[in-house]
Amino acid sequence: MGTIPYLVRDAGLGLRRPILNQIVESPPDDVDFYEVAPENWITIGGKSGRQFRAMTERFDFVCHGLSLSLGSTDPLDEKFLGDIKQFLSEHRIKLYSEHLSYCSKDGHLYDLMPIPFTEEAISHVAARIKRVQDILEQRIAIENVSYYAAPGQEMDEIDFFNAVVNEADCDVLLDANNIYVNSVNHGYDAEAFLKAIPAHRIAYAHIAGHYVEADDLLVDTHGADVIDPVWKLLGKAYELFGVFPTLLERDFDIPPLAGLLKEVNTIKTIQNDWRVQHERKTA
Protein backbone atom coordinates (compact mmCIF):
# COMPACT_ATOMS: atom_id res chain seq x y z
CA MET A 1 0.00 0.00 0.00
CA GLY A 2 1.19 3.52 -0.79
CA THR A 3 2.23 5.74 2.11
CA ILE A 4 2.20 9.20 0.48
CA PRO A 5 -0.56 11.44 1.89
CA TYR A 6 -2.28 12.09 -1.43
CA LEU A 7 -2.70 15.77 -2.27
CA VAL A 8 -5.62 15.14 -4.63
CA ARG A 9 -8.24 12.40 -4.63
CA ASP A 10 -10.08 9.89 -6.80
CA ALA A 11 -10.40 10.64 -10.55
CA GLY A 12 -9.13 13.60 -12.53
CA LEU A 13 -9.20 15.03 -16.04
CA GLY A 14 -6.68 16.94 -18.09
CA LEU A 15 -8.12 20.43 -18.69
CA ARG A 16 -7.79 21.30 -22.38
CA ARG A 17 -8.89 24.44 -24.21
CA PRO A 18 -11.60 22.77 -26.35
CA ILE A 19 -13.54 21.81 -23.21
CA LEU A 20 -12.74 24.84 -21.06
CA ASN A 21 -15.91 26.85 -21.77
CA GLN A 22 -18.17 23.88 -21.15
CA ILE A 23 -16.47 22.92 -17.89
CA VAL A 24 -16.47 26.50 -16.57
CA GLU A 25 -20.18 26.87 -17.35
CA SER A 26 -21.17 23.50 -15.91
CA PRO A 27 -18.41 21.81 -13.89
CA PRO A 28 -18.97 18.02 -13.91
CA ASP A 29 -19.53 16.44 -10.51
CA ASP A 30 -17.54 13.36 -11.51
CA VAL A 31 -14.17 15.14 -11.84
CA ASP A 32 -12.32 15.43 -8.54
CA PHE A 33 -9.24 17.27 -9.80
CA TYR A 34 -7.76 18.74 -12.98
CA GLU A 35 -4.33 18.83 -14.55
CA VAL A 36 -2.71 21.38 -16.87
CA ALA A 37 0.66 21.89 -18.49
CA PRO A 38 1.88 25.14 -16.92
CA GLU A 39 3.64 26.14 -20.14
CA ASN A 40 0.23 26.44 -21.79
CA TRP A 41 -1.26 28.71 -19.11
CA ILE A 42 1.41 30.87 -17.48
CA THR A 43 1.10 33.68 -20.04
CA ILE A 44 -2.62 33.35 -20.72
CA GLY A 45 -4.70 36.44 -19.98
CA GLY A 46 -8.06 37.75 -21.16
CA LYS A 47 -11.17 35.60 -21.00
CA SER A 48 -9.29 32.29 -20.91
CA GLY A 49 -7.09 33.56 -18.09
CA ARG A 50 -10.11 34.64 -16.07
CA GLN A 51 -11.81 31.30 -16.70
CA PHE A 52 -8.72 29.43 -15.56
CA ARG A 53 -8.48 31.51 -12.40
CA ALA A 54 -12.14 30.79 -11.68
CA MET A 55 -11.43 27.07 -12.00
CA THR A 56 -8.33 27.04 -9.77
CA GLU A 57 -10.22 28.96 -7.11
CA ARG A 58 -12.90 26.26 -6.97
CA PHE A 59 -11.14 22.97 -7.72
CA ASP A 60 -7.96 21.06 -7.00
CA PHE A 61 -5.29 21.25 -9.70
CA VAL A 62 -1.99 19.56 -10.45
CA CYS A 63 0.58 20.60 -13.06
CA HIS A 64 2.37 18.30 -15.50
CA GLY A 65 5.36 20.01 -17.10
CA LEU A 66 6.42 19.60 -20.72
CA SER A 67 9.65 21.50 -21.17
CA LEU A 68 11.86 21.35 -18.08
CA SER A 69 14.10 18.85 -19.92
CA LEU A 70 15.40 17.08 -16.84
CA GLY A 71 17.71 14.78 -18.78
CA SER A 72 19.35 17.44 -20.92
CA THR A 73 22.96 18.53 -20.64
CA ASP A 74 21.82 22.12 -21.28
CA PRO A 75 21.81 24.29 -18.14
CA LEU A 76 18.63 23.98 -16.10
CA ASP A 77 16.31 26.89 -16.91
CA GLU A 78 16.08 28.40 -13.44
CA LYS A 79 14.29 31.53 -14.64
CA PHE A 80 11.55 29.32 -16.04
CA LEU A 81 11.47 27.46 -12.73
CA GLY A 82 10.92 30.76 -10.98
CA ASP A 83 7.92 31.37 -13.22
CA ILE A 84 6.64 27.89 -12.43
CA LYS A 85 7.03 28.49 -8.70
CA GLN A 86 5.01 31.70 -8.92
CA PHE A 87 2.33 29.99 -11.02
CA LEU A 88 2.01 27.11 -8.55
CA SER A 89 1.63 29.55 -5.67
CA GLU A 90 -0.74 31.92 -7.47
CA HIS A 91 -3.16 29.15 -8.38
CA ARG A 92 -2.63 26.99 -5.28
CA ILE A 93 -1.54 24.03 -7.41
CA LYS A 94 -1.32 20.87 -5.32
CA LEU A 95 1.56 19.14 -7.10
CA TYR A 96 4.05 19.56 -9.96
CA SER A 97 5.23 16.65 -12.08
CA GLU A 98 7.57 16.18 -15.04
CA HIS A 99 8.74 13.53 -17.50
CA LEU A 100 11.87 11.43 -17.02
CA SER A 101 13.19 12.53 -20.41
CA TYR A 102 14.73 15.53 -22.14
CA CYS A 103 13.49 17.89 -24.84
CA SER A 104 16.37 20.27 -25.47
CA LYS A 105 19.92 20.31 -26.83
CA ASP A 106 21.15 23.83 -27.60
CA GLY A 107 17.48 24.74 -28.00
CA HIS A 108 14.14 22.99 -27.74
CA LEU A 109 13.56 19.79 -29.72
CA TYR A 110 9.76 19.82 -29.31
CA ASP A 111 9.68 16.13 -28.48
CA LEU A 112 10.37 13.99 -25.42
CA MET A 113 13.65 12.14 -25.98
CA PRO A 114 14.82 9.04 -24.07
CA ILE A 115 17.55 9.38 -21.46
CA PRO A 116 20.26 6.69 -21.72
CA PHE A 117 19.77 4.06 -19.02
CA THR A 118 23.25 4.50 -17.51
CA GLU A 119 24.83 5.11 -14.11
CA GLU A 120 26.13 8.47 -15.32
CA ALA A 121 22.64 9.53 -16.38
CA ILE A 122 21.21 8.52 -12.99
CA SER A 123 23.56 10.88 -11.17
CA HIS A 124 23.02 13.68 -13.68
CA VAL A 125 19.23 13.56 -13.70
CA ALA A 126 18.85 12.99 -9.97
CA ALA A 127 20.99 16.06 -9.24
CA ARG A 128 18.81 18.17 -11.54
CA ILE A 129 15.62 16.90 -9.90
CA LYS A 130 17.06 17.79 -6.48
CA ARG A 131 17.84 21.27 -7.73
CA VAL A 132 14.29 21.66 -9.07
CA GLN A 133 12.88 20.60 -5.70
CA ASP A 134 15.17 23.05 -3.90
CA ILE A 135 14.04 25.93 -6.11
CA LEU A 136 10.34 25.05 -5.93
CA GLU A 137 10.65 24.25 -2.21
CA GLN A 138 8.52 21.15 -2.66
CA ARG A 139 8.76 17.56 -3.80
CA ILE A 140 7.91 16.84 -7.43
CA ALA A 141 6.68 13.66 -9.10
CA ILE A 142 8.54 12.05 -12.00
CA GLU A 143 6.67 10.13 -14.71
CA ASN A 144 7.78 6.89 -16.31
CA VAL A 145 7.75 7.77 -20.02
CA SER A 146 7.17 5.95 -23.29
CA TYR A 147 10.26 5.60 -25.47
CA TYR A 148 11.04 4.00 -28.83
CA ALA A 149 14.82 3.57 -28.62
CA ALA A 150 17.24 2.97 -25.74
CA PRO A 151 20.61 4.47 -26.74
CA GLY A 152 23.59 3.41 -24.63
CA GLN A 153 21.47 1.13 -22.45
CA GLU A 154 23.36 -0.36 -19.48
CA MET A 155 20.39 -1.49 -17.40
CA ASP A 156 16.66 -2.21 -17.58
CA GLU A 157 14.21 0.69 -17.68
CA ILE A 158 12.71 -0.13 -14.29
CA ASP A 159 16.13 -0.26 -12.61
CA PHE A 160 17.02 3.11 -14.12
CA PHE A 161 13.71 4.68 -13.14
CA ASN A 162 13.86 3.42 -9.57
CA ALA A 163 17.48 4.50 -9.15
CA VAL A 164 16.68 8.04 -10.30
CA VAL A 165 13.68 8.53 -8.00
CA ASN A 166 15.54 6.97 -5.07
CA GLU A 167 18.65 9.13 -5.49
CA ALA A 168 16.61 12.27 -6.13
CA ASP A 169 14.22 11.44 -3.28
CA CYS A 170 11.22 12.49 -5.38
CA ASP A 171 7.74 11.10 -5.90
CA VAL A 172 6.34 9.07 -8.81
CA LEU A 173 3.69 9.86 -11.38
CA LEU A 174 2.72 6.38 -12.53
CA ASP A 175 1.59 6.18 -16.17
CA ALA A 176 -0.21 2.89 -16.80
CA ASN A 177 -0.44 3.39 -20.56
CA ASN A 178 3.29 4.07 -20.86
CA ILE A 179 4.04 0.81 -19.05
CA TYR A 180 1.77 -1.08 -21.45
CA VAL A 181 3.13 0.67 -24.57
CA ASN A 182 6.74 0.03 -23.55
CA SER A 183 6.02 -3.58 -22.64
CA VAL A 184 4.78 -4.23 -26.18
CA ASN A 185 7.46 -2.19 -27.94
CA HIS A 186 10.37 -3.55 -25.90
CA GLY A 187 9.08 -7.02 -25.06
CA TYR A 188 8.89 -6.99 -21.28
CA ASP A 189 6.26 -8.07 -18.74
CA ALA A 190 4.06 -5.08 -17.83
CA GLU A 191 2.94 -6.54 -14.50
CA ALA A 192 6.51 -7.33 -13.47
CA PHE A 193 7.46 -3.71 -14.20
CA LEU A 194 4.47 -2.48 -12.23
CA LYS A 195 5.30 -4.64 -9.21
CA ALA A 196 8.78 -3.10 -9.05
CA ILE A 197 7.49 0.49 -8.78
CA PRO A 198 8.13 1.98 -5.29
CA ALA A 199 4.55 2.15 -4.01
CA HIS A 200 5.39 4.54 -1.19
CA ARG A 201 6.39 7.18 -3.76
CA ILE A 202 3.26 7.14 -5.96
CA ALA A 203 1.63 10.58 -5.87
CA TYR A 204 -0.96 10.00 -8.61
CA ALA A 205 -1.33 8.26 -11.95
CA HIS A 206 -2.09 8.86 -15.62
CA ILE A 207 -4.12 6.69 -17.93
CA ALA A 208 -4.50 7.33 -21.65
CA GLY A 209 -4.96 5.83 -25.09
CA HIS A 210 -2.43 5.09 -27.82
CA TYR A 211 -2.14 4.39 -31.56
CA VAL A 212 -1.42 0.92 -32.94
CA GLU A 213 1.20 1.31 -35.67
CA ALA A 214 1.86 -2.46 -35.80
CA ASP A 215 1.47 -5.52 -33.58
CA ASP A 216 4.84 -4.75 -32.01
CA LEU A 217 4.78 -0.95 -32.25
CA LEU A 218 2.43 1.21 -30.21
CA VAL A 219 2.63 5.00 -30.21
CA ASP A 220 1.73 6.94 -27.07
CA THR A 221 -0.54 9.60 -28.59
CA HIS A 222 -3.11 10.39 -25.88
CA GLY A 223 -5.44 10.57 -28.86
CA ALA A 224 -7.67 7.51 -28.44
CA ASP A 225 -9.85 5.74 -25.91
CA VAL A 226 -8.14 3.69 -23.20
CA ILE A 227 -8.06 0.01 -24.18
CA ASP A 228 -9.03 -2.91 -21.95
CA PRO A 229 -5.49 -4.20 -21.19
CA VAL A 230 -4.52 -0.75 -19.89
CA TRP A 231 -7.64 -0.58 -17.71
CA LYS A 232 -6.73 -4.02 -16.35
CA LEU A 233 -3.19 -2.86 -15.64
CA LEU A 234 -4.59 0.06 -13.65
CA GLY A 235 -6.75 -2.35 -11.68
CA LYS A 236 -3.68 -4.46 -11.01
CA ALA A 237 -1.89 -1.38 -9.68
CA TYR A 238 -4.75 -0.74 -7.25
CA GLU A 239 -4.62 -4.39 -6.19
CA LEU A 240 -0.90 -4.12 -5.50
CA PHE A 241 -0.66 -0.65 -3.99
CA GLY A 242 -4.15 0.41 -2.94
CA VAL A 243 -6.25 3.03 -4.72
CA PHE A 244 -4.45 6.24 -5.64
CA PRO A 245 -5.59 9.37 -7.54
CA THR A 246 -5.73 8.75 -11.29
CA LEU A 247 -6.15 11.20 -14.16
CA LEU A 248 -7.39 10.72 -17.72
CA GLU A 249 -5.09 12.29 -20.33
CA ARG A 250 -6.55 13.17 -23.71
CA ASP A 251 -4.56 15.59 -25.87
CA PHE A 252 -5.66 14.88 -29.46
CA ASP A 253 -8.90 13.96 -31.22
CA ILE A 254 -10.66 15.15 -28.09
CA PRO A 255 -14.23 13.80 -28.01
CA PRO A 256 -17.25 15.64 -26.57
CA LEU A 257 -17.06 16.11 -22.81
CA ALA A 258 -19.55 13.29 -22.29
CA GLY A 259 -17.07 10.86 -23.85
CA LEU A 260 -14.28 12.02 -21.57
CA LEU A 261 -16.51 11.77 -18.51
CA LYS A 262 -17.40 8.21 -19.45
CA GLU A 263 -13.73 7.27 -19.10
CA VAL A 264 -13.36 9.31 -15.90
CA ASN A 265 -16.26 7.30 -14.52
CA THR A 266 -14.51 4.10 -15.56
CA ILE A 267 -11.58 5.17 -13.38
CA LYS A 268 -13.98 5.77 -10.46
CA THR A 269 -15.70 2.42 -11.00
CA ILE A 270 -12.39 0.53 -10.93
CA GLN A 271 -11.32 2.50 -7.85
CA ASN A 272 -14.57 1.74 -6.03
CA ASP A 273 -14.42 -1.95 -6.98
CA TRP A 274 -10.93 -2.28 -5.49
CA ARG A 275 -11.90 -0.33 -2.39
CA VAL A 276 -14.80 -2.73 -1.80
CA GLN A 277 -12.56 -5.75 -2.32
CA HIS A 278 -9.98 -4.35 0.09
CA GLU A 279 -12.63 -3.68 2.74
CA ARG A 280 -13.88 -7.25 2.42
CA LYS A 281 -10.38 -8.64 2.81
CA THR A 282 -9.71 -6.57 5.91
CA ALA A 283 -13.15 -7.01 7.52
Side-chain angles (χ1 to χ4, degrees):
M1 300 289 286
T3 57
I4 288 180
Y6 299 123
L7 301 177
V8 290
R9 63 184 180 87
D10 298 338
L13 176 65
L15 184 62
R16 305 297 182 255
R17 300 280 181 79
I19 59 174
L20 178 60
N21 287 338
Q22 191 174 357
I23 287 181
V24 170
E25 292 171 3
S26 183
D29 294 333
D30 299 329
V31 178
D32 301 295
F33 68 102
Y34 293 92
E35 179 189 79
V36 294
E39 294 87 341
N40 295 335
W41 295 91
I42 284 177
T43 60
I44 294 298
K47 179 182 177 182
S48 293
R50 292 191 297 273
Q51 289 177 318
F52 181 65
R53 163 63 82 177
M55 288 292 294
T56 60
E57 287 178 347
R58 295 180 61 189
F59 303 103
D60 287 343
F61 271 75
V62 296
C63 275
H64 187 46
L66 299 173
S67 59
L68 193 52
S69 201
L70 288 170
S72 178
T73 55
D74 290 350
L76 196 62
D77 190 341
E78 296 193 0
K79 180 184 182 305
F80 171 64
L81 273 171
D83 294 339
I84 291 288
K85 184 176 183 178
Q86 181 177 345
F87 181 80
L88 299 179
S89 174
E90 180 181 353
H91 292 283
R92 297 180 298 175
I93 305 296
K94 298 292 187 178
L95 179 70
Y96 177 72
S97 65
E98 250 289 1
H99 304 81
L100 187 57
S101 63
Y102 72 98
C103 59
S104 64
K105 180 64 174 101
D106 301 322
H108 278 282
L109 303 173
Y110 300 102
D111 204 352
L112 298 175
M113 307 299 292
I115 302 172
F117 300 153
T118 66
E119 292 288 349
E120 182 181 12
I122 291 168
S123 298
H124 175 73
V125 179
R128 286 165 71 92
I129 294 172
K130 287 179 181 178
R131 179 58 180 159
V132 170
Q133 294 185 141
D134 286 345
I135 292 172
L136 296 182
E137 299 183 276
Q138 65 181 61
R139 295 171 69 89
I140 69 171
I142 298 300
E143 182 184 40
N144 58 292
V145 299
S146 58
Y147 63 100
Y148 306 94
Q153 183 171 0
E154 296 177 357
M155 64 188 74
D156 290 340
E157 176 195 351
I158 186 60
D159 294 331
F160 176 77
F161 181 80
N162 285 347
V164 169
V165 298
N166 183 63
E167 186 167 330
D169 191 21
C170 61
D171 295 331
V172 169
L173 165 52
L174 176 67
D175 192 304
N177 183 64
N178 288 351
I179 294 175
Y180 179 77
V181 165
N182 291 346
S183 74
V184 172
N185 292 346
H186 303 289
Y188 65 66
D189 185 312
E191 285 196 14
F193 185 101
L194 182 64
K195 289 176 181 177
I197 290 288
H200 64 287
R201 294 188 182 273
I202 297 173
Y204 73 113
H206 279 168
I207 194 163
H210 57 260
Y211 174 72
V212 180
E213 180 74 27
D215 289 344
D216 58 352
L217 178 57
L218 307 182
V219 182
D220 178 36
T221 59
H222 303 173
D225 293 345
V226 181
I227 67 170
D228 190 56
V230 178
W231 287 124
K232 289 181 178 178
L233 193 62
L234 180 65
K236 185 65 178 181
Y238 294 156
E239 177 187 350
L240 291 169
F241 308 136
V243 173
F244 42 75
T246 303
L247 180 131
L248 175 70
E249 282 191 296
R250 187 68 178 255
D251 295 329
F252 303 100
D253 293 328
I254 297 176
L257 182 58
L260 295 173
L261 294 179
K262 181 179 179 181
E263 291 198 298
V264 171
N265 277 312
T266 300
I267 295 172
K268 296 176 83 77
T269 297
I270 297 171
Q271 289 176 331
N272 290 335
D273 286 348
W274 282 107
R275 284 191 180 107
V276 169
Q277 291 193 39
H278 175 70
E279 289 172 1
R280 288 174 179 170
K281 288 179 181 178
T282 56

